[in-house]
Amino acid sequence: MKPSPTMHALIIDNFQTATFRTAEIPRPEPTVNQVLVRIKASGVNPLDSKIRTGKAPHAKPVLPAVLGTDLAGVVEAVGQNVTAFKVGDEVYGLTGGVGGLQGSLAEFAAVDPDLLAKNQPTSVCVKQQLYPWWF
């Protein structure tokens, strides 16, 4: 079965209302140096809130934008130059949400593999990876 060319995401259109809307957008394809991650969990931290309201100009989001910096998920595809990950690896780490890069508030993200870690312990759930201080 061929994967859908689209995915669901939360989009922000302006900093004044800072309201998210659900949208169907093109599913990203990893470049030769990226990993495509099916996102299972996305964290929201204080920086994400500042970016959403336009109070983090250093982040330089390009509107409309998919925000979110933290994620946990499963590798769906790898670029031809990526050797550290394979399809099926469970990963967690960082993605875009800044500088015009797509963030983690979506079903998939094409991610720089240097911003991911794998081989999570089976005794640690996805929520614990994103919020270790909570548990």
Side-chain angles (χ1 to χ4, degrees), residues 85-107:
F85 297 96
K86 66 183 183 317
V87 172
D89 283 342
E90 293 184 359
V91 296
Y92 62 96
L94 301 173
T95 187
V98 298
L101 298 173
Q102 181 208 304
S104 60
L105 298 178
E107 292 181 289

Side-chain angles (χ1 to χ4, degrees), residues 37-126:
V37 176
R38 176 185 293 273
I39 299 170
K40 298 292 187 179
S42 176
V44 178
N45 62 54
L47 178 58
D48 292 317
S49 296
K50 288 180 180 180
I51 293 170
R52 184 176 136 234
T53 57
K55 295 180 179 150
H58 61 283
K60 300 179 179 138
V62 177
L63 299 178
V66 176
L67 301 182
T69 54
D70 304 321
L71 65 77
V74 178
V75 173
E76 288 280 313
V78 296
Q80 70 182 41
N81 294 341
V82 176
T83 59
F85 297 96
K86 66 183 183 317
V87 172
D89 283 342
E90 293 184 359
V91 296
Y92 62 96
L94 301 173
T95 187
V98 298
L101 298 173
Q102 181 208 304
S104 60
L105 298 178
E107 292 181 289
F108 295 90
V111 183
D112 179 339
D114 290 339
L115 300 178
L116 295 173
K118 67 176 181 175
N119 296 333
Q120 60 201 6
T122 56
S123 62
V124 178
C125 73
V126 169

